[in-house]
Amino acid sequence: MKRIFSLIIFSLVFGFTLPAQGYKVGDKAMDFSLINVDGKMVSMADYPDAKGFIVIFTCNHCPYSIAYEDRKIALSKRFEPMGYPVIAINPNDSTLQPQDSYSQMIVRANKKQFPYPYLLDADQSVFKTYGATRTPHVFLLNKENNDLIVRYIGAIDNNYEDEDAVTEKYVENAIKALGNGKLPDPDFTKAVGCTIKYKKS
Amino acid sequence: MPILFVNILILLNTIFYQPVTENDSKPAIMDFETFQQYLKHENDTVYVINFWATWCAPCVKELPDFEKLNQKYADKNFKMLLVSLDFRKMYHTRLIPFIEENKLSAEVLLLHDPDANAWIDKVDPSWSGAIPATLIYKNSFRLFHEGGYTFDELNTIVEPLMN
């Protein structure tokens, strides 16, 4: 009773609003058209032969994103030839996080020679539609009857800090499962990450 | 699992993970197994457990408000824990210097358990894993919030719990 009362007070005081729910596994994902670090617009429709996509919300500044940078490159090199390209999207508002500006994205992409597009979610609508809450945050999409279906949401693997200590490669296993005509298990994982920086309206 | 094995595990934990002690400026380093005792005390104390990291700008921004709260209730049935999710390798290079520079009075510990999917739900099922995030609890009262807090927001929640 006391708890409920306090929650009511809390809600009244802070006008507690829950963020949009975003996608769940099994939902149909929407395409987007976002600017890449090479100045061109990129959509998933540009990849007619893809079997799916590894969409990763990520950024420059976040230590978790940086810790996963080489693993994102490895995923791209390994799975793009198998039909699952990596598409990285920076969802952050650069007025709140200057290291994540478009120009800094270009600097980072050139330095690390990203083999995948690194797109800017300039109006921050894509991360909200997908329901990304942190960086890095992976949405594995699978093309089914010309729709892109979300088949896995979560972390790349189960150890952000030490690649050698990883015991579960979630994204890799999920793609393998899809290749075998199965659904990924697990299809949803959580990870510590940096909040996505946006202005609360 | 055999009880003996569990006992050995507990013993090893006791040896290798220094328990959190007062007046110790060096933060304890622990895995989730050891840390989770701090999530379920039922001793009439108000616990404010903030998950943060030195590189997390919104976390660092709200720390002075947490410090202010900690000082306000320092002599009450109140316990604040600042749970750092900095990388283990940043312990000496980032975390300890940060605590000293910012003269943090609240107790800090380093939660080092990179298999986060295994424990995030145990803190609170509504947590996506993004930081800052804060759990406030007292006995059976629990309030988890992903995102930042101001002093006034914190105090509005904590003050009624102090009686």
Side-chain angles (χ1 to χ4, degrees), chain A residues 14 64 133-134 161 190 195, chain B residues 88 117 121 125 127-128 153:
Chain A
F14 303 122
Y64 292 98
T133 57
R134 59 179 186 268
E161 189 160 359
K190 290 184 175 183
T195 43
Chain B
R88 175 68 182 83
N117 185 54
D121 278 344
W127 189 16
S128 82
E153 289 168 345

Side-chain angles (χ1 to χ4, degrees), chain B residues 67-130:
Chain B
E67 278 290 305
K68 191 174 162 190
L69 188 81
N70 190 49
Q71 279 156 22
K72 178 173 165 115
Y73 295 111
D75 55 352
K76 303 276 185 5
N77 272 344
F78 176 88
K79 178 71 187 169
M80 180 176 288
L81 274 179
L82 302 177
V83 181
S84 159
L85 293 166
D86 282 273
F87 292 4
R88 175 68 182 83
K89 65 186 175 194
M90 296 172 176
Y91 181 74
H92 292 289
T93 56
R94 294 280 303 270
L95 183 58
I96 290 177
F98 182 93
I99 294 166
E100 287 169 358
E101 277 165 31
N102 291 280
K103 299 185 175 62
L104 297 184
S105 67
E107 189 169 325
V108 179
L109 64 84
L110 178 68
L111 175 56
H112 180 251
D113 201 331
D115 187 4
N117 185 54
W119 55 261
I120 286 173
D121 278 344
K122 292 178 188 171
V123 176
D124 194 276
S126 73
W127 189 16
S128 82

Side-chain angles (χ1 to χ4, degrees), chain B:
Chain B
M1 210 185 318
I3 288 170
L4 181 63
F5 184 52
V6 174
N7 280 337
I8 291 171
L9 275 182
I10 292 169
L11 183 66
L12 285 175
N13 271 337
T14 318
I15 294 167
F16 288 106
Y17 295 99
Q18 292 296 313
V20 179
T21 50
E22 301 288 343
N23 308 319
D24 186 352
S25 62
K26 286 246 170 92
I29 302 173
M30 63 186 71
D31 63 3
F32 189 79
E33 185 72 27
T34 310
F35 168 71
Q36 63 182 352
Q37 60 180 301
Y38 298 106
L39 301 177
K40 48 194 172 193
H41 289 303
E42 292 203 16
N43 52 9
D44 296 330
T45 302
V46 175
Y47 286 86
V48 175
I49 301 181
N50 172 246
F51 296 87
W52 70 292
T54 58
W55 43 258
C56 163
C59 305
V60 170
K61 189 177 162 217
E62 68 176 1
L63 276 181
D65 288 36
F66 278 78
E67 278 290 305
K68 191 174 162 190
L69 188 81
N70 190 49
Q71 279 156 22
K72 178 173 165 115
Y73 295 111
D75 55 352
K76 303 276 185 5
N77 272 344
F78 176 88
K79 178 71 187 169
M80 180 176 288
L81 274 179
L82 302 177
V83 181
S84 159
L85 293 166
D86 282 273
F87 292 4
R88 175 68 182 83
K89 65 186 175 194
M90 296 172 176
Y91 181 74
H92 292 289
T93 56
R94 294 280 303 270
L95 183 58
I96 290 177
F98 182 93
I99 294 166
E100 287 169 358
E101 277 165 31
N102 291 280
K103 299 185 175 62
L104 297 184
S105 67
E107 189 169 325
V108 179
L109 64 84
L110 178 68
L111 175 56
H112 180 251
D113 201 331
D115 187 4
N117 185 54
W119 55 261
I120 286 173
D121 278 344
K122 292 178 188 171
V123 176
D124 194 276
S126 73
W127 189 16
S128 82
I131 53 175
T134 301
L135 172 69
I136 299 174
Y137 80 94
K138 178 188 178 182
N139 299 332
S140 62
F141 170 89
R142 292 183 92 80
L143 183 62
F144 181 84
H145 172 59
E146 178 172 320
Y149 270 136
T150 63
F151 172 80
D152 288 341
E153 289 168 345
L154 286 166
N155 197 44
T156 306
I157 300 160
V158 168
E159 199 162 40
L161 295 173
M162 293 311 298
N163 304 310

Side-chain angles (χ1 to χ4, degrees), chain A residues 5-68:
Chain A
F5 180 70
S6 298
L7 278 174
I8 291 168
I9 293 287
F10 182 78
S11 307
L12 289 175
V13 172
F14 303 122
F16 203 58
T17 52
L18 287 171
Q21 289 297 301
Y23 291 146
K24 293 187 179 63
V25 170
D27 285 353
K28 194 169 118 180
M30 70 150 204
D31 200 354
F32 40 73
S33 180
L34 298 175
I35 192 162
N36 192 10
V37 284
D38 64 2
K40 295 175 183 149
M41 303 302 283
V42 170
S43 298
M44 292 191 283
D46 301 335
Y47 298 76
D49 298 328
K51 295 176 187 165
F53 295 91
I54 307 168
V55 176
I56 308 177
F57 292 91
T58 185
C59 63
N60 284 355
H61 89 276
C62 175
Y64 292 98
S65 292
I66 294 166
Y68 271 112

